[in-house]
Amino acid sequence: MTLLVLTIVNNLFKNSGTSTHNWDVLLFLGSIIAAVFIKKSVPLQYVFGLFAYGILFTLLPDIEYFKLPSVMYTILLLYAFLLPGLWAPIIVGAGFILYLLLNYFPTVQFDYMRVNLVGVMFNTVVYASLSYFFRRMMIERDLLKESEARYRSLIEICPEPIVVQQNGKLVYANPAAVKALGAYSLTTLTGRSALRFLHPECRRSALTHVEQVLEKGISATMEQRYMRMDGQVRSCELVLVATNYGGKKACMSIGKDITERKKAEEKINYMAYHDTLTGLPNRSYLNNCLDTALEQAEQANIQLAVLFLDLDRFKNINDTVGHVYGDMLLRQVAERLKESVGPNDIVSRHSGDEFVILLENRSESMVREQAQALLDQFIQPFQLHGHEVYTTTSIGISMYPHDGLGRDALIKHADMAMYLSKENGKNNYQFYSVHNNRLARKIKLENGLRRAFEHQLFTLHYQPQINLENGQIVGMEALLRWQDPELGNVTPGEFIPVAEETGLIVPIGKWVLQTACEQYRRWREEGLPRIRMAVNISVRQFQDKQFIDLIARVLQETGMEPGDLELEITESIMQNMKESLAILTELKRIGVKISIDDFGTGYSSLSLLDKLPIDHIKIDRTFIAEIGMNANTEALVRTIIDMGRNLRFELIGEGIEREDQLEFLKHNNCTMGQGYHISRPLPTEDAADLLRLARPFVRA
């Protein structure tokens, strides 16, 4: 535009030097410039344009004829862009044609005049068409800008959060979205990854939806959890729409915060499926879970167990201290039950003081261990606002598929087994499968134990104990195994209590001690490394008057160094502290090592622990199992380790089944460890092969 104006003015100035002519040129120039810069008022543009056009005709006579066509073409082009539309170029062109005809027709050769007239007419048509389309383009551009401005204003004032992401990055967010995401301004959001604002569990689903929207150009609706800049997690309902941003494909998300609605739904769902007093799942929730678990168990051909618990003498407690304290007791019982099972197990309140627990994918021996752990939860008294209350529980157990294939049958049979537990003196557990044959089973076990002892059906397996610092084997724990021709593989958890009750544990314990020490001697004769041989000693053995003499005789007969023998005893020896202290002192005089087994689950007393001449403390497997799952248990394990180290005891973590448990114990300076993650209990030859390898189990 500027070039066109300068070209015209240059021609006008050069053709005359009079002051009047120059002032007319300046007036023409000023009118043109005014028309150019007055864009908001089209009529005013036309006024200045026509004024300049009138002045122009006073200047044309001063231009030489041969320069006149080029000036006219230039002016036509100027007006075509200055005043876009169809009529301005036509009027200008028509004026030029009329000017040529009136002023030059009689004096200029007709052929030359015709060429000029045709040229003006042609350029008039061309520039008028261009001007018309230019005007339409400007109108459409203005309409588009107006539409975009209206659309942007609607988005800006929209109360719902709206964001646009492109190539995985946020490129736009309206004020509602900026506020919803907890940002200070739009600039703090743009350029960030869109996934950063989604909960990790929702990211894969969100990516799939965005890809489908962009590829197919469709819209999608989904519910997601998003994360604000301050880390707060909220819920939203999103509508995803394919759009363009900056000329490239983008995805626009229109959100609606549904956090409060979700909370209300969760609260309603929680109230429908949870007990209001204890917060445990109720009977409806248990029924749903049990139905699902039975379907999975049938498909996977695995077992599951239903445990029915009833508090002993709960009515007496209610009558004694009142229903308020009874409710407090039920809440505390619920907490202890939850703490004693795994994170995937279901603990539900059935009714009153009855609870039902669902254990999936458990063998009978594992269920026995779990039932005993539940009974142990009732050893300590319950504190009810200054009232110290003791209670126990009776547990009935049914196993799928042996005791029933349906939900109702399993619960009914577990309930029946619970009543059998009540009849047997309470504070015990009973399996429905032995409901009618409990005495026969006990007699079979007792007779089988005597037969196994007489015919040497027992075997010993050895589980390595390693130094957690360097991974080297420092000890082997001798573990008793019984494979009976009639009873099959009987677990220690089943036959040891019978052996202790019948007194058979004393001769069996002597055999275990003798066999383990002789095996250790043979290993040493083969040149295997020197380690400790750990042997479990029951309370009945410990109380035997010949126990000290037995230890001395076995050491002498096997030639074993006293320091290579470690006796593992339980915390229950503290019940008779005076007698136990005398025995332990004599054992230390002989030189054997002493360790407290299953520490933290029995009768430990910190006031007595430092008086005992012991070397090692074994952290019970129930605590190790909770590492990585229960912060309180982790704190307790750290406390046990610190206490042991301060008392100059070495700590052994037993029952290590996962890498994170091993790393936790190492990090907290536990000295030794054992468990299935390191090695299962091994037959004699396999244990010897392991010692020959002399390889570390963990990286130092």
Side-chain angles (χ1 to χ4, degrees):
M1 184 72 72
T2 303
L3 183 60
L4 293 176
V5 173
L6 291 177
T7 302
I8 296 170
V9 172
N10 182 54
N11 281 292
L12 295 177
F13 268 110
K14 284 186 176 181
N15 284 276
S16 178
T18 65
S19 60
T20 302
H21 178 90
N22 291 339
W23 278 108
D24 289 340
V25 172
L26 292 175
L27 192 58
F28 171 81
L29 179 60
S31 301
I32 289 295
I33 293 174
V36 169
F37 287 100
I38 301 176
K39 295 180 179 179
K40 294 185 178 180
S41 177
V42 175
L44 200 57
Q45 272 189 314
Y46 274 92
V47 170
F48 279 102
L50 291 173
F51 182 76
Y53 184 60
I55 296 174
L56 179 64
F57 277 95
T58 65
L59 300 174
L60 289 180
D62 296 328
I63 301 175
E64 298 175 5
Y65 182 80
F66 69 89
K67 292 183 179 181
L68 196 58
S70 63
V71 173
M72 290 181 175
Y73 300 155
T74 305
I75 292 173
L76 267 172
L77 185 59
L78 173 66
Y79 273 83
F81 288 100
L82 176 64
L83 302 172
L86 189 62
W87 297 108
I90 291 177
I91 293 172
V92 172
F96 285 153
I97 292 173
L98 186 60
Y99 178 81
L100 290 174
L101 290 173
L102 293 176
N103 292 285
Y104 295 103
F105 185 78
T107 59
V108 179
Q109 187 179 357
F110 177 76
D111 291 338
Y112 193 74
M113 172 64 74
R114 183 180 59 187
V115 171
N116 290 334
L117 289 172
V118 171
V120 172
M121 285 190 289
F122 176 80
N123 280 281
T124 299
V125 173
V126 171
Y127 293 150
S129 301
L130 289 175
S131 183
Y132 173 80
F133 288 114
F134 182 60
R135 168 60 70 183
R136 297 303 307 167
M137 183 178 68
M138 290 178 62
I139 292 173
E140 290 176 3
R141 182 198 63 187
D142 292 338
L143 290 174
L144 180 61
K145 286 184 177 180
E146 181 180 350
S147 176
E148 288 179 350
R150 185 164 55 249
Y151 179 73
R152 178 174 289 273
S153 65
L154 288 174
I155 290 180
E156 291 289 324
I157 65 174
C158 179
E160 303 297 348
I162 299 175
V163 298
V164 178
Q165 58 173 296
Q166 195 173 68
N167 297 325
K169 304 285 187 180
L170 288 183
V171 294
Y172 172 78
N174 71 344
V178 173
K179 182 179 179 181
L181 294 174
Y184 296 106
S185 63
L186 176 60
T187 55
T188 60
L189 295 178
T190 53
R192 289 177 176 265
S193 171
L195 293 180
R196 178 255 180 266
F197 299 98
L198 287 177
H199 192 277
E201 296 177 0
C202 303
R203 291 173 182 173
R204 184 180 296 274
S205 172
L207 277 175
T208 302
H209 280 86
V210 170
E211 290 173 358
Q212 290 178 349
V213 167
L214 292 176
E215 289 176 3
K216 301 179 181 180
I218 60 175
S219 62
T221 303
M222 61 179 179
E223 290 185 3
Q224 299 286 357
R225 284 178 293 166
Y226 70 95
M227 300 175 63
R228 288 165 46 90
M229 295 284 286
D230 56 9
Q232 182 182 354
V233 178
R234 299 185 68 83
S235 299
C236 67
E237 186 177 73
L238 291 177
V239 177
L240 305 181
V241 181
T243 185
N244 286 308
Y245 192 89
K248 297 180 180 179
K249 281 186 176 182
C251 181
M252 182 170 66
S253 305
I254 306 170
K256 180 180 181 181
D257 193 294
I258 57 172
T259 304
E260 297 305 319
R261 190 188 81 189
K262 280 292 184 182
K263 288 181 179 178
E265 292 175 355
E266 290 172 2
K267 185 176 182 180
I268 293 172
N269 185 69
Y270 185 89
M271 293 173 65
Y273 290 103
H274 287 78
D275 173 52
T276 56
L277 176 63
T278 62
L280 293 177
N282 59 16
R283 188 182 301 186
S284 298
Y285 188 96
L286 174 71
N287 290 342
N288 292 340
C289 291
L290 188 50
D291 288 339
T292 303
L294 287 172
E295 292 178 4
Q296 295 174 348
E298 182 181 5
Q299 294 173 0
N301 193 26
I302 58 177
Q303 291 180 296
L304 61 81
V306 174
L307 283 66
F308 200 106
L309 290 77
D310 182 87
L311 299 186
D312 300 328
R313 298 175 297 277
F314 180 73
K315 185 178 183 301
N316 294 339
I317 295 172
N318 255 348
D319 295 341
T320 303
V321 297
H323 290 281
V324 174
Y325 289 92
D327 290 346
M328 292 175 59
L329 175 61
L330 289 174
R331 285 193 289 266
Q332 291 189 29
V333 167
E335 290 299 319
R336 292 194 186 184
L337 294 180
K338 285 192 297 184
E339 291 174 359
S340 64
V341 300
N344 297 323
D345 300 324
I346 304 298
V347 180
S348 68
R349 186 185 180 198
H350 199 63
S351 65
D353 62 330
E354 296 175 339
F355 300 85
V356 176
I357 299 176
L358 170 61
L359 305 176
E360 297 186 59
N361 194 19
R362 305 288 177 86
S363 64
E364 184 174 320
S365 62
M366 296 169 69
V367 174
R368 288 182 183 277
E369 291 180 4
Q370 183 64 72
Q372 186 58 52
L374 291 168
L375 292 175
D376 292 343
Q377 287 292 327
F378 293 82
I379 294 175
Q380 298 298 324
F382 294 87
Q383 303 295 332
L384 309 178
H385 280 326
H387 293 269
E388 195 172 72
V389 175
Y390 286 85
T391 188
T392 54
T393 186
S394 299
I395 306 175
I397 306 169
S398 62
M399 299 286 296
Y400 169 88
H402 185 265
D403 301 326
L405 300 178
R407 174 230 304 163
D408 294 334
L410 288 170
I411 294 177
K412 177 183 176 182
H413 292 162
D415 189 15
M416 294 172 62
M418 183 272 294
Y419 279 105
L420 176 62
S421 175
K422 294 277 190 185
E423 294 173 4
N424 286 349
K426 303 181 177 64
N427 192 28
N428 67 92
Y429 63 87
Q430 295 293 331
F431 281 81
Y432 175 78
S433 58
V434 296
H435 178 250
N436 296 319
N437 300 303
R438 63 190 187 282
L439 293 179
R441 176 68 175 177
K442 184 176 180 181
I443 292 173
K444 282 185 178 181
L445 286 175
E446 183 175 343
N447 293 335
L449 281 171
R450 296 183 187 278
R451 183 175 61 250
F453 182 71
E454 293 171 0
H455 297 282
Q456 298 183 351
L457 298 179
F458 293 116
T459 58
L460 289 184
H461 284 197
Y462 301 90
Q463 188 172 34
Q465 297 174 339
I466 67 169
N467 184 311
L468 294 180
E469 181 66 25
N470 55 32
Q472 297 295 334
I473 298 176
V474 294
M476 286 282 187
E477 181 180 2
L479 299 170
L480 185 62
R481 295 292 183 264
W482 176 21
Q483 182 71 34
D484 191 88
E486 295 181 11
L487 301 174
N489 182 32
V490 187
T491 64
E494 186 176 19
F495 71 78
I496 291 296
V498 176
E500 290 181 334
E501 183 179 346
T502 59
L504 287 171
I505 193 67
V506 175
I508 292 174
K510 289 180 181 179
W511 178 86
V512 171
L513 178 66
Q514 183 77 36
T515 303
C517 291
E518 288 178 353
Q519 183 59 59
Y520 182 79
R521 175 179 57 81
R522 287 193 289 270
W523 281 346
R524 293 292 292 144
E525 289 174 352
E526 294 175 18
L528 296 182
R530 182 180 179 181
I531 59 171
R532 290 192 314 275
M533 177 62 75
V535 179
N536 289 280
I537 304 297
S538 71
V539 175
R540 292 288 297 271
Q541 288 177 269
F542 193 79
Q543 294 171 344
D544 185 20
K545 294 181 179 180
Q546 305 300 320
F547 181 65
I548 298 295
D549 293 337
L550 172 67
I551 298 297
R553 186 176 70 253
V554 169
L555 290 173
Q556 184 179 7
E557 290 174 355
T558 59
M560 186 176 181
E561 292 290 334
D564 293 342
L565 175 64
E566 182 175 66
L567 303 179
E568 295 190 1
I569 57 179
T570 62
E571 297 175 70
S572 55
I573 64 165
M574 295 186 184
Q575 295 179 79
N576 190 343
M577 190 62 190
K578 183 177 180 181
E579 182 178 344
S580 298
L581 186 58
I583 297 173
L584 291 174
T585 302
E586 183 62 19
L587 289 172
K588 289 300 294 181
R589 188 192 63 78
I590 294 174
V592 299
K593 302 290 185 182
I594 307 293
S595 70
I596 297 291
D597 196 13
D598 302 332
F599 181 80
T601 62
Y603 301 86
S604 298
S605 172
L606 297 181
S607 63
L608 301 176
L609 192 60
D610 66 333
K611 297 180 175 63
L612 296 177
I614 59 177
D615 303 285
H616 303 142
I617 290 177
K618 295 191 75 174
I619 305 172
D620 186 70
R621 65 180 63 248
T622 57
F623 297 121
I624 304 300
E626 290 292 308
I627 291 175
M629 303 176 185
N630 189 319
N632 291 334
T633 303
E634 291 181 357
L636 183 58
V637 172
R638 280 192 288 265
T639 301
I640 293 173
I641 294 173
D642 292 338
M643 178 199 67
R645 292 177 64 86
N646 290 333
L647 294 175
R648 298 183 180 179
F649 301 142
E650 290 190 346
L651 282 299
I652 305 175
E654 62 176 348
I656 301 173
E657 297 185 356
R658 302 192 310 272
E659 179 68 18
D660 62 313
Q661 296 169 347
L662 186 145
E663 291 297 328
F664 177 89
L665 294 174
K666 281 182 60 180
H667 180 71
N668 288 280
N669 299 316
C670 181
T671 315
M672 291 169 284
Q674 71 181 95
Y676 280 13
H677 183 69
I678 298 169
S679 173
R680 290 177 174 270
L682 302 172
T684 303
E685 288 303 316
D686 292 342
D689 292 339
L690 199 60
L691 290 172
R692 291 188 187 98
L693 289 176
R695 65 173 177 80
F697 281 82
V698 295
R699 293 190 301 273

